[in-house]
Amino acid sequence: MNPEDINIYRQLSGGVTSSHILHGSANTIGGQTQLMKLRWGATDEGIKFAGADPFIKFALGENVKRTTSSNNNRYPDTRMGVEEVLNDAFDRATDYQANMKANPNTRRDLELDALVEIMNKKRFITCHSYVQTEITYAMRVGEKYGFPFNTFTHILEGYKVADKMKAHGANVSTFSDWYMYKAEVQDAIAYNASIMHKVGLNVCINSDDAEMARRLNQEAAKVVKYGGVSEEDALKMVTLNPAKALHIENKVGSIKAGK
């Protein structure tokens, strides 16, 4: 974490107080994330959001399988393969957890430790996703091993499976109106956020871009235009709702004494 990155200053100037920093989406099961409380001039430790729950990034779809790449020679290279990576990983984590309980001298595996944390709801998933089929199979994997997918991000086909995500207990964080920039977003619509909101999901508008992050009020306003969401509910999509998705609504997300 670089506390002197000029983008911290720029984000603060645009009204952003907290940022969830994720790495890229090249791997089905990625690495830890970092929640930041933006403080211009703080130390690298000082900008970390104290006491926040640990998260991990997962990814689905084209960024993982890379079948459009001219030099793709790795597994998985299909969406079904991505699902199998998840099942295989949590099968191994289940066995590992049982072995650790039976024999404390079992050799530690840091990757499997993280998956055991997920299964025990001590670490939470934020998952890059787009297409309805992969969103559905991800939730099925989670339910098979007893954990929820905390947040689906981007999720431009979320409107197709909003009822399933509501039943699963997932939060959703979507672009307001990004579409047609790659094949798997051909079915994206500007009404995505409003439809998911009306189904009853906790909807957030994400940025994924340093410039867009400074204008999240404008991104939220598009949800008023496309779908008739009230101004108050649209404002929550860039304030209180993401705080809830990140489990920090008791500290930030609204104006209240003590926050």
Side-chain angles (χ1 to χ4, degrees):
M1 306 301 295
N2 176 13
E4 297 178 350
D5 191 318
I6 189 62
N7 261 313
I8 295 175
Y9 190 84
R10 291 171 179 162
Q11 299 311 315
L12 285 167
S13 74
V16 180
T17 67
S18 310
S19 294
H20 196 197
I21 308 301
L22 316 177
H23 58 67
S25 47
N27 298 296
T28 307
I29 298 174
Q32 65 186 325
T33 70
Q34 180 61 56
L35 186 62
M36 290 173 56
K37 180 72 173 168
L38 300 181
R39 298 180 176 96
W40 178 246
T43 65
D44 52 352
E45 288 297 319
I47 57 175
K48 292 181 179 179
F49 202 112
D53 283 343
F55 276 71
I56 185 172
K57 176 160 179 180
F58 280 24
L60 309 170
E62 184 57 43
N63 288 30
V64 176
K65 66 188 186 69
R66 299 291 172 98
T67 44
T68 57
S69 170
S70 59
N71 187 33
N72 182 57
N73 57 1
R74 68 171 194 172
Y75 180 84
D77 62 359
T78 66
R79 295 185 193 275
M80 291 181 290
V82 176
E83 179 181 9
E84 187 52 39
V85 167
L86 289 172
N87 274 306
D88 179 62
F90 283 101
D91 269 346
R92 288 186 287 116
T94 300
D95 291 343
Y96 173 73
Q97 179 174 233
N99 290 339
M100 288 292 284
K101 289 179 179 177
N103 179 12
N105 294 320
T106 299
R107 182 177 178 179
R108 289 282 304 281
D109 185 310
L110 297 181
E111 290 185 355
L112 295 179
D113 279 343
L115 300 188
V116 169
E117 288 179 350
I118 294 167
M119 293 193 296
N120 292 316
K121 302 180 179 64
K122 294 180 179 179
R123 183 174 293 276
F124 301 90
I125 299 168
T126 180
C127 187
H128 165 108
S129 54
Y130 285 96
V131 178
Q132 61 171 335
T133 50
E134 65 194 32
I135 297 163
T136 300
Y137 73 55
M139 290 189 291
R140 286 176 179 167
V141 170
E143 289 160 8
K144 176 180 176 181
Y145 294 97
F147 63 87
F149 274 71
N150 188 88
T151 309
F152 286 102
T153 58
H154 311 333
I155 199 163
L156 292 174
E157 287 191 17
Y159 66 95
K160 298 182 179 181
V161 287
D163 54 342
K164 293 180 181 178
M165 291 187 293
K166 178 72 162 48
H168 181 75
N171 301 277
V172 291
S173 185
T174 185
F175 294 121
S176 59
D177 60 353
W178 282 23
Y179 26 63
M180 299 307 292
Y181 55 91
K182 56 182 174 178
E184 60 183 342
V185 295
Q186 287 184 347
D187 282 1
I189 59 174
Y191 294 87
N192 185 41
S194 61
I195 291 172
M196 292 192 295
H197 168 72
K198 287 169 183 173
V199 170
L201 286 161
N202 182 49
V203 179
C204 317
I205 303 296
N206 59 226
S207 58
D208 212 40
D209 177 85
E211 284 303 308
M212 185 181 290
R214 299 165 61 198
R215 298 169 176 83
L216 284 170
N217 57 329
Q218 296 176 2
E219 296 301 299
K222 294 173 184 176
V223 187
V224 179
K225 176 179 175 63
Y226 297 103
V229 173
S230 72
E231 290 184 7
E232 181 179 352
D233 284 339
L235 183 60
K236 286 180 180 178
M237 292 181 185
V238 293
T239 53
L240 185 58
N241 291 5
K244 289 178 178 177
L246 292 166
H247 310 170
I248 53 173
E249 72 273 19
N250 63 324
K251 295 181 180 178
V252 296
S254 61
I255 299 172
K256 182 180 179 182
K259 286 195 172 185

